[in-house]
């Protein structure tokens, strides 16, 4: 819908940008011949098509009095556009910083010396600093070399997550593998992680995160959980028992198109990015597109709505891929779909206030899981069926799962309760993941001990 | 709930310091009576709280905030608080706090038995330079539940410690192209918010 999209590209004011000269002392630079530098600089500049600051220096001058200060001001008149004041002449006792182009160095230094102006060379070669800065930025953006140097307490881009997946699978190939279950509307790969210690088509547990792209804490929690699973195997007896009998599958970026969009254009995008003729509004709410109570209350037939259910059940490739995989597998015993925010743990139904037949057992399990979660950091979750706890919503994942025979179908709404909401500070990623893990573990343990 | 007259809710809750840097300090207890007449927005609220911060300390804190905001050299201009990663620069915290206060009035005005709101983000702030009052123009994004819609609102907030807060706002309802707008005057200090 026009007017709804906001640019969230540069969110912090005043950050230093590539190519802008910086103030401050640079690192100690190796001594290089003037002309070698100039030559290299020209090549590099030509290659990058950028402004060239090779050999330029930044001088700091302390004017003793107004007279000396005026000499500096005169410099601007004598050498128009040849002197670039980073800190202009203001008053004596305040340093004056100026960038001098390579070709002017001898002249300017001569001028300063002849007028008794003391100076120091703050930056010996501006271009070298710029190159170093550019390299550092590229390095930071460049994908992490290993899953262990990946920051689990930061939010990441789609590319970073996919790169982490590859590293993670390589580093833990004894337990983890990657499966491509389909493609999104914009043709991005939908990848899931499989955790297995062997066997063939073992009873399985499904976890998905990021079905609503703006819920960034869910992807972050999923990634941390994946790492937790491999590190806990062989150490945590409960998890070890689980993994010795069952397989775990995690769909980390259930809505990759939406997620990419939250990084590029609109941090608050919720739906996928499918388009249809007849309307300029895009996107289907993937958590209203499942075949259970489809089109009922708590979903919307208006394509411009945030809870638009789509033209038909499973019409969306992101949902169809999961349905096909789970149905094809045929042996899933639990499904956990993770959202944010509200601090809730819920079971079906969303589309109706009627209790499911396993309601009593699910209630008790939810209670136990929430208690385990609370023990970690004292965070309170409420629990119950979706329709009773949150609101009536039709065509949701867990309703479909339950109706398909997956009894232990739960959905989380992670931290917080509205203070930061979707924009949960990254400092809360690990605490959130730690407490959520204890709840997930409780559900998995119960599933293991109650085969059906 | 008497649907003929409206919806009555009685609440009891405890309060804690909004500023989490001060820790989860328990501040007081409140009991409130909320009444939605005929499912209309802006419920009548009768609330009493026990406070554990003395009036004097509150006035001091208010004046401190006032001074902080007055001391800003150039009228403040900022955008996207918090950023995409949930971070708020400490220097911008007071701005967020004030915006939250203004937004809470707007949200109260819009709340019905079926719709409630949370503040997502301050998309832009612009300060007006005045001699005495603190005067801000904000745009905020509100998260509407259960529709899940994101509602942009423009808010004009005028504050002076000890005086009632003045809030003018205009929200854009994207779906229906309706606009909700209004003016609220409220006191941040009073222990009773009556229907204005």
């Amino acid at each position: 819908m026009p007017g709804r999209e906001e640019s969230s590209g540069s969110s912090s004011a005043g950050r230093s940008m590539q190519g802008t000269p910086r103030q401050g002392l640079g690192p100690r630079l190796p001594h290089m011949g003037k002309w070698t530098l100039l030559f290299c600089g020209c090549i590099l500049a030509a290659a990058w098509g950028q402004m060239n600051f090779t050999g330029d220096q930044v001088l700091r001058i302390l004017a003793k009095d107004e007279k000396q200060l005026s000499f500096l001001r005169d410099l601007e008149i004598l050498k128009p556009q040849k002197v670039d004041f980073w800190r202009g002449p203001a008053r004596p006792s305040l340093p004056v910083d100026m960038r001098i182009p390579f070709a002017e160095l001898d002249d300017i230094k001569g001028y300063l010396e002849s007028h008794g102006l003391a100076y120091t060379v703050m930056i010996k070669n501006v271009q070298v600093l710029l190159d170093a800065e550019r390299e550092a930025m590229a390095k930071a953006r460049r994908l992490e070399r290993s899953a262990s140097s990946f920051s689990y307490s930061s939010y990441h881009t789609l590319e970073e997550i996919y790169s982490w997946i590859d590293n993670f699978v390589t580093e833990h190939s004894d337990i983890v593998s990657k499966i491509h279950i389909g493609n999104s509307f914009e043709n991005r790969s939908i990848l899931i992680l499989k955790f297995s210690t062997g066997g063939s088509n073992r009873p399985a547990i499904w976890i998905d995160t990021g079905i609503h792209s703006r819920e960034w804490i869910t992807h972050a929690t999923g990634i941390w959980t994946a790492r937790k699973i491999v590190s806990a195997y062989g150490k945590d007896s409960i998890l070890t028992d689980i993994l010795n009998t069952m397989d775990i599958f995690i769909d980390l970026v259930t809505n990759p198109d939406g997620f990419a969009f939250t990084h590029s254009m609109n941090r608050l995008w919720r739906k996928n990015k499918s388009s249809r003729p007849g309307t300029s509004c895009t996107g289907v709410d993937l958590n209203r597109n499942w075949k259970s109570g489809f089109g009922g209350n708590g979903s919307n037939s208006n394509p411009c709505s945030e809870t638009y259910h789509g033209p038909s059940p499973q019409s969306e490739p992101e949902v169809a891929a999961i349905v096909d995989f789970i149905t094809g597998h045929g042996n899933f015993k639990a499904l956990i779909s993770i959202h944010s925010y509200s601090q809730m743990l819920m079971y079906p139904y969303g589309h109706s206030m009627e209790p499911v037949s396993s309601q009593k057992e699910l209630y008790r399990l939810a209670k136990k899981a929430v208690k385990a979660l609370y023990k970690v950091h004292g965070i309170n979750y409420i629990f119950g069926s979706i329709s009773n706890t949150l609101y009536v919503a039709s065509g949701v994942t867990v309703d479909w799962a339950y109706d398909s025979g997956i009894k232990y179908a739960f959905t989380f709404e992670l931290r917080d309760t509205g203070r930061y909401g979707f924009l949960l500070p990254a400092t809360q990623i690990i605490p959130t993941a730690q407490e959520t893990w204890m709840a997930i573990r409780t559900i998995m343990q119960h599933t293991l001990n109650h085969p059906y | 709930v008497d649907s003929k007259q409206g919806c009555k809710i009685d609440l009891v809750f405890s309060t804690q310091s909004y500023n989490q840097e001060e820790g989860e300090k328990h501040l007081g207890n409140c009991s409130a009576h909320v009444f939605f007449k005929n499912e209309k927005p802006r419920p009548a609220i009768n609330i009493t709280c026990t406070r554990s911060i003395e009036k004097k300390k509150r006035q001091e804190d208010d004046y401190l905030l006032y001074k902080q905001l007055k001391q800003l050299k150039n009228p403040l201009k900022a955008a996207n608080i918090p950023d995409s990663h949930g971070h708020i620069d400490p220097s911008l915290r007071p701005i967020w706090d004030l915006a939250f206060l203004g937004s809470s009035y707007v949200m109260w005005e819009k709340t019905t038995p079926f719709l409630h709101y949370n503040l997502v983000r301050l998309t832009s702030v612009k300060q007006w330079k005045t001699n005495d009052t603190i005067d801000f123009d904000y745009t905020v994004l509100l998260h509407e539940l259960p529709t899940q819609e994101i509602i942009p609102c423009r808010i004009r907030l005028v504050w002076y410690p000890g005086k009632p807060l003045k809030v003018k706002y205009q929200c854009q309802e994207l779906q229906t192209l309706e606009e909700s707008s209004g003016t609220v005057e409220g006191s941040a200090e009073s222990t009773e918010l009556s229907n204005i």
Side-chain angles (χ1 to χ4, degrees), chain A residues 217 221 224-225 228 343-345 368-381 412-416 424 428-443:
Chain A
I217 185 60
T221 296
W224 186 95
T225 304
K228 181 68 180 177
Q343 290 173 201
M344 295 170 179
L345 175 56
K368 202 173 171 205
V370 156
K371 194 170 175 192
L373 185 154
Y374 175 81
K375 280 218 178 95
V376 184
H377 296 298
I379 298 295
N380 283 306
Y381 268 55
F412 279 84
E413 291 279 355
L414 301 182
R415 291 192 193 185
D416 56 17
L424 195 71
Q428 292 198 42
I429 293 175
I430 293 186
T432 301
Q434 287 171 330
E435 66 199 15
T436 308
W437 166 246
M438 292 311 287
I440 292 176
R441 184 176 173 266
T442 305
I443 293 169

Side-chain angles (χ1 to χ4, degrees), chain A residues 108-271:
Chain A
I108 303 290
K109 282 180 176 171
Y111 178 90
L112 293 173
E113 281 155 21
S114 67
H115 286 88
L117 284 157
Y119 66 90
T120 50
V121 179
M122 258 181 34
I123 301 176
K124 250 185 179 168
N125 188 337
V126 175
Q127 191 60 41
V128 171
L129 274 186
L130 288 175
D131 295 343
E133 184 181 42
R134 187 177 292 134
E135 167 66 34
M137 285 179 68
K139 205 175 188 177
R141 274 197 306 268
R142 207 178 298 148
L143 309 172
E144 293 288 351
R145 292 201 192 288
S146 78
S148 57
S149 60
F150 178 91
S151 169
Y152 292 88
S153 54
S154 310
Y155 292 112
H156 291 278
T157 64
L158 188 63
E159 293 70 34
E160 288 165 358
I161 295 176
Y162 278 17
S163 165
W164 173 86
I165 287 175
D166 285 337
N167 289 331
F168 183 68
V169 167
T170 306
E171 283 166 32
H172 302 279
S173 51
D174 48 339
I175 303 182
V176 195
S177 56
K178 172 179 88 169
I179 306 174
H180 176 224
I181 63 169
N183 284 342
S184 67
F185 185 84
E186 290 175 343
N187 226 16
R188 292 185 172 83
S189 294
I190 302 174
L191 305 169
I192 65 173
L193 294 173
K194 176 183 180 181
F195 300 76
S196 180
T197 59
S200 149
N201 202 242
R202 283 180 172 176
I205 296 157
W206 172 273
I207 301 173
D208 64 69
T209 56
I211 198 170
H212 289 141
S213 38
R214 61 192 180 197
E215 298 164 9
W216 279 16
I217 185 60
T218 67
H219 316 80
T221 296
I223 292 168
W224 186 95
T225 304
R227 201 204 27 178
K228 181 68 180 177
I229 291 172
V230 299
S231 67
Y233 183 70
K235 298 205 182 79
D236 171 6
S237 58
I238 291 175
L239 185 276
T240 306
D241 286 346
I242 291 166
L243 220 41
N244 281 339
T245 312
M246 305 179 77
D247 292 341
I248 302 172
F249 293 83
I250 303 184
D251 187 352
L252 284 175
V253 193
T254 308
N255 179 5
D257 297 347
F259 187 61
F261 200 65
T262 59
H263 278 276
S264 64
M265 289 293 294
N266 183 349
R267 173 64 179 82
L268 298 175
W269 190 259
R270 169 185 168 88
K271 304 186 282 183

Side-chain angles (χ1 to χ4, degrees), chain A residues 214 306 341 391 419-420, chain B residues 18 84 86 93 143 148-149:
Chain A
R214 61 192 180 197
E306 291 281 21
Y341 58 91
Y391 44 62
R419 186 170 195 268
Y420 287 101
Chain B
Y18 180 74
S84 286
R93 185 120 237 155
H143 179 212
Q148 294 290 347
E149 301 292 336

Side-chain angles (χ1 to χ4, degrees), chain A residues 299-319:
Chain A
S299 69
N300 203 312
S301 56
N302 183 342
C304 303
S305 161
E306 291 281 21
T307 53
Y308 173 51
H309 47 56
S312 59
Q314 295 164 209
S315 57
E316 303 312 294
E318 298 85 357
V319 169

Side-chain angles (χ1 to χ4, degrees), chain A residues 201-207 242 245-249 326 329-336 358 361-362 365 401-402 404-410 443-452:
Chain A
N201 202 242
R202 283 180 172 176
I205 296 157
W206 172 273
I207 301 173
I242 291 166
T245 312
M246 305 179 77
D247 292 341
I248 302 172
F249 293 83
I326 290 180
H329 182 281
N331 205 15
F332 274 90
K333 298 300 174 191
L335 178 138
I336 299 171
S358 302
E361 184 185 4
L362 296 180
L365 179 51
Y402 188 86
S404 304
I406 301 173
K407 184 171 30 156
Y408 301 115
F410 287 92
I443 293 169
M444 294 200 296
Q445 184 187 23
H446 184 96
T447 308
L448 173 72
N449 294 331
H450 297 81
Y452 61 94

